[in-house]
């Protein structure tokens, strides 16, 4: 008999009010998949952007649709051909099949063992945020030790990892955030923290080799002004004015993060060595996904919002 689980689903594009707690059928894990009993799932801005239909032209979904991709939980069952993971292991990573649920099949290529030192909620705050920061700084930004990098949006779910990775790499890190997060961002390893509510970024920085912009429209102009001539702007939330980028001879990179087993293992190792920390903005029960989306939509805060699906054993 098919197994049932509770899940948050939408039947139409729309605001948080479309998120409904319902019964759903659990799909069996396919080749190279495992079935994960979800304990926690991260809430990324992309989750409300998809459910509100912002991305429907290039990322259409089928209804009923279960949002969520960053999961942490325990393997309930392994699919055909899986030898790398076993039933009962605690894992974290990504599934494209909708994470706001009690059980989800996930590819073994986007999972890794959860570090013992982290709760499921903390582990669910890592996959998209840390992967985006790593790939933005190193694969697209080619950040080198000794270079100066400006991280815009340093207290967010992506930015907090970017500050830590850039510091770990040996770069000089300048970071922007609002007043209440200044001390927090400094604690992540930023050499200089700019409170964007009281100091214009473009007046404070002119010589960055790299700017990693996680904010978008409100900051892209100041990001270009902060670059040295010929520097690189990596943006994950919008495209700057072409003319402005030309004026600075800037290389502009925009990309979509790709979660992988190998990168998740790298993050787990850094966490076990005490070189990487995680911050939770808030935790909500699965049934309160709508409140979590509402909070994420403010675009302000410190760390990742997470939905708690089951209690830790
Ligand atoms: N392309 C990709 O692959 C990819 C991957 C992940 C995320 N994204 C996108 O990247 C964006 C950020 O994601 P996230 O998960 O980090 O979001 P988030 O957790 O909501 O964080 C947003 C952060 O931006 C800060 N902020 C807002 N206005 C600012 C300003 N004017 N100057 C400096 N900081 C400001 C906020 O800090 P304060 O509270 O201090 O204002 C907050 O910490 C979203 O649009 C998301 O969709 C893209």
């Amino acid at each position: 008999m098919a197994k049932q689980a509770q899940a948050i689903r939408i039947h139409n594009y729309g605001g948080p009010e479309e998120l409904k707690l319902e019964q759903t059928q659990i799909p069996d894990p396919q080749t190279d998949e495992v079935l994960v009993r979800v304990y926690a799932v991260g809430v990324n801005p992309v989750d409300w952007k998809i459910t509100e239909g912002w991305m429907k032209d290039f990322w259409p979904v089928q209804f009923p649709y279960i949002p969520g991709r960053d999961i942490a939980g325990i393997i309930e069952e392994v699919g055909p051909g899986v030898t790398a993971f076993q039933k009962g292991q605690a894992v974290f990573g990504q599934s494209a099949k909708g994470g706001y649920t009690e059980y989800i099949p996930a590819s073994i290529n986007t999972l890794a063992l959860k570090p013992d030192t982290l709760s499921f909620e903390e582990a669910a705050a890592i996959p998209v945020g840390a992967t985006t920061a790593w790939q933005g700084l190193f694969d697209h930004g080619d950040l080198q030790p000794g270079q100066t990098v400006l991280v815009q949006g340093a207290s967010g779910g992506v930015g907090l990892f970017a500050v830590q990775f850039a510091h770990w790499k040996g770069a000089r890190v300048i970071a922007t955030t609002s007043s209440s997060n200044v001390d927090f961002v400094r604690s992540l390893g930023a050499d200089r923290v700019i409170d964007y509510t009281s100091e214009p970024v473009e007046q404070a920085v002119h010589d960055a080799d790299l700017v990693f912009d996680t904010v978008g429209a409100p900051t892209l102009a100041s990001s270009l002004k902060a670059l040295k001539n010929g520097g690189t702007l990596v943006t994950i939330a919008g495209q700057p004015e072409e003319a402005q980028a030309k004026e600075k001879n800037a290389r502009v990179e925009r990309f979509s993060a790709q979660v992988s087993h190998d990168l998740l293992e790298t993050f787990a190792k850094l966490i076990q060595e005490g070189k990487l920390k995680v911050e939770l903005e808030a935790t909500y029960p699965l049934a309160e996904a709508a409140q979590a989306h509402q909070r994420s939509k403010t675009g302000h805060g410190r760390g990742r919002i997470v939905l708690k699906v089951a209690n830790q054993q």
Side-chain angles (χ1 to χ4, degrees):
M1 208 172 96
K3 285 175 279 190
Q4 297 278 314
Q6 287 204 311
I8 294 286
R9 306 200 299 187
I10 60 165
H11 294 266
N12 301 288
Y13 290 121
E17 68 285 354
E18 293 294 333
L19 298 164
K20 303 273 185 328
L21 185 65
E22 298 176 343
Q23 286 291 316
T24 182
Q25 203 159 306
I26 306 169
D28 290 325
Q30 304 297 303
T31 303
D32 289 338
E33 285 186 341
V34 295
L35 182 69
V36 178
R37 178 173 187 211
V38 180
Y39 278 68
V41 54
V43 174
N44 283 283
V46 72
D47 297 319
W48 57 259
K49 289 179 185 176
I50 291 175
T51 58
E52 298 200 359
W54 286 33
M55 330 222 10
K56 64 183 172 201
D57 290 343
F58 52 95
W59 202 338
V61 302
Q62 280 192 324
F63 299 114
Y65 171 73
I66 303 175
R69 45 200 54 236
D70 277 356
I71 54 162
I74 291 182
I75 296 178
E76 177 82 7
E77 193 182 325
V78 298
V82 173
T83 53
F85 289 96
Q86 282 124 45
K87 181 179 162 136
Q89 287 179 320
V91 290
F92 75 120
Q94 190 176 67
S95 172
K97 297 194 169 176
Y100 292 5
T101 180
E102 293 173 310
Y103 292 90
I104 187 175
S107 164
I108 58 169
N109 299 320
T110 54
L111 287 182
L113 294 180
K114 178 182 82 63
D116 295 339
T117 50
L118 291 190
S119 65
F120 287 103
E121 289 87 344
E122 289 168 325
I126 296 173
V128 168
T131 301
T132 309
W134 184 279
Q135 293 175 342
L137 293 175
F138 304 138
D139 299 347
H140 298 274
D142 194 26
L143 182 66
Q144 300 297 321
Q147 287 190 326
T148 297
V149 58
L150 169 68
V151 178
Q152 296 257 42
S155 54
V158 176
L160 72 91
F161 289 114
V163 172
Q164 294 181 84
F165 291 146
H167 173 70
W168 167 80
K169 183 80 176 178
R172 173 174 169 251
V173 187
I174 306 173
T176 62
T177 191
S178 63
S179 320
S180 59
N181 295 321
V182 167
D183 289 342
F184 166 69
V185 170
R186 195 171 289 122
S187 79
L188 300 174
D191 298 287
R192 172 147 189 226
V193 184
I194 298 169
D195 176 352
Y196 70 83
T197 65
S198 61
E199 187 178 5
V201 180
E202 57 270 38
Q203 281 178 21
V205 194
H206 306 279
D207 62 344
D209 298 285
L210 172 67
V211 178
F212 184 49
D213 191 317
T214 75
V215 180
T219 53
L220 283 166
S222 69
S223 289
L224 280 171
K225 287 181 184 154
L227 268 187
K228 72 174 189 188
N229 190 44
T232 301
L233 168 62
V234 174
T235 161
I236 58 166
Q239 197 69 28
E241 292 283 337
E242 214 176 299
Q244 260 183 330
K246 261 197 177 148
E247 232 171 79
K248 269 287 170 107
N249 294 312
R251 178 168 75 88
V252 177
E253 290 272 319
R254 193 173 174 191
F255 74 102
S256 252
Q258 305 296 324
V259 172
S260 72
H261 166 76
D262 289 353
L263 261 187
L264 293 169
E265 278 205 324
T266 301
F267 305 148
K269 186 166 174 283
L270 287 172
I271 282 163
Q272 265 146 357
E273 292 170 353
K275 293 178 180 149
L276 188 65
K277 57 185 179 192
V278 178
E279 180 77 11
L280 299 183
E281 154 78 5
T283 303
Y284 292 85
L286 180 65
E288 292 178 17
Q291 286 92 320
H293 274 212
Q294 203 66 54
R295 186 162 181 162
S296 175
K297 284 181 66 178
T298 66
H300 296 285
R302 179 190 301 179
R304 181 67 66 219
I305 299 166
V306 168
L307 300 177
K308 185 171 181 165
V309 184
N311 284 321
Q312 196 144 6
Q313 289 164 331

